[in-house]
Amino acid sequence: MVKKTINFHDEKVLEKFDKQITKKYGSIRGNRTNVLEMLMNEYSSGTYEENNEKLEQLNQKVSELTTEYETLLTENTKLQKDNENYHDVIDELTIKVETLEKEVQTLRTDNTHMKELMSEKNNRITEYQTNITSLNKKVTSKENEYKHLEEVRNKDLEEKNNLTKKISKYSYVIGYIENMSLLDRILKKYPDEMKALPENTDN
């Protein structure tokens, strides 16, 4: 075993090194020598520099991953916020849809009621039209009956007037004959009105 003394310009470096060794391997003095020897071997063989380069690469990777993580975290926060906003929009739209469904149902109910009323009105209109047609037929029948009665009445009036004229003529002739003398009757000195009388009194 070779013993050599190492002089440090900054004792704080040695104190820091002792603390790390004590923390990791305990407070045994030999541990410090072993760790120092191991580090010297790694450094002389290039392992230290290689490990240090790997450590830097790892630190760089950790930094990149940390940045990526922070970016993802920011995006996730934004997505969560957007998701909350979407939930609010969805809730609002759901309420609107439910309101519209209620309005549509109300309109359907009103439409059904209106159809029932329209059907009832149409039935009444059909009934009224049937009654009007029936009344028109009755009115037409009564009008025809009235026309017939009017014609019969006019004919009867005409016959009555003719009979009245005949009766008037016969009354005059009869009265004249009654006032005639017996000689005038024998001589048939009848008035001219009697000659105008028709021979067939049934006409």
Side-chain angles (χ1 to χ4, degrees):
M1 174 187 264
V2 178
K3 292 184 179 180
K4 290 185 178 181
T5 302
I6 300 174
N7 295 321
F8 290 92
H9 296 288
D10 188 355
E11 293 184 356
K12 291 182 178 179
V13 174
L14 181 61
E15 290 177 0
K16 186 175 181 181
F17 178 74
D18 283 339
K19 287 181 180 180
Q20 291 294 330
I21 296 302
T22 302
K23 182 178 180 181
K24 188 171 183 179
Y25 299 101
S27 58
I28 301 174
R29 186 174 183 80
N31 289 334
R32 183 173 62 181
T33 303
N34 292 333
V35 171
L36 182 60
E37 185 178 353
M38 179 186 69
L39 291 175
M40 290 175 70
N41 287 330
E42 288 180 355
Y43 185 79
S44 60
S45 63
T47 305
Y48 177 80
E49 292 180 356
E50 183 179 350
N51 289 338
N52 191 38
E53 184 178 353
K54 289 181 180 180
L55 180 61
E56 289 180 358
Q57 291 176 353
L58 286 174
N59 288 334
Q60 180 66 27
K61 189 66 176 177
V62 169
S63 178
E64 291 175 358
L65 290 174
T66 301
T67 302
E68 184 177 355
Y69 171 77
E70 290 176 352
T71 302
L72 290 174
L73 186 62
T74 302
E75 291 180 356
N76 183 53
T77 303
K78 184 177 181 299
L79 286 174
Q80 287 180 349
K81 186 175 181 180
D82 291 341
N83 191 33
E84 291 177 358
N85 293 333
Y86 290 149
H87 278 302
D88 293 338
V89 172
I90 290 172
D91 291 340
E92 184 179 353
L93 289 175
T94 301
I95 293 173
K96 287 183 178 181
V97 168
E98 290 176 353
T99 303
L100 286 174
E101 286 178 348
K102 290 180 181 179
E103 291 178 356
V104 168
Q105 185 62 38
T106 301
L107 288 174
R108 285 177 179 172
T109 303
D110 292 343
N111 187 39
T112 302
H113 182 62
M114 289 299 295
K115 285 181 178 179
E116 292 175 354
L117 288 177
M118 286 297 295
S119 177
E120 183 179 351
K121 295 293 183 184
N122 287 333
N123 291 336
R124 287 185 181 180
I125 289 172
T126 302
E127 182 180 354
Y128 291 153
Q129 288 176 340
T130 302
N131 290 335
I132 289 172
T133 301
S134 177
L135 288 173
N136 283 333
K137 290 180 179 179
K138 290 181 180 180
V139 168
T140 302
S141 176
K142 291 296 181 182
E143 286 178 347
N144 292 334
E145 185 178 347
Y146 173 77
K147 288 179 180 179
H148 176 69
L149 291 174
E150 188 71 17
E151 291 174 357
V152 172
R153 174 180 169 276
N154 290 334
K155 185 177 181 181
D156 289 341
L157 285 174
E158 184 179 357
E159 291 179 355
K160 177 186 174 184
N161 290 332
N162 291 333
L163 287 173
T164 300
K165 290 178 181 179
K166 287 182 180 180
I167 290 171
S168 178
K169 290 179 180 179
Y170 280 109
S171 296
Y172 173 77
V173 171
I174 291 171
Y176 187 86
I177 292 172
E178 287 177 349
N179 292 324
M180 286 175 62
S181 64
L182 181 60
L183 180 60
D184 288 335
R185 290 181 185 182
I186 293 171
L187 295 174
K188 295 182 178 183
K189 291 183 178 181
Y190 298 120
D192 293 335
E193 286 81 3
M194 185 175 177
K195 296 177 181 178
L197 293 175
E199 295 180 359
N200 188 0
T201 56
D202 292 337
N203 294 331

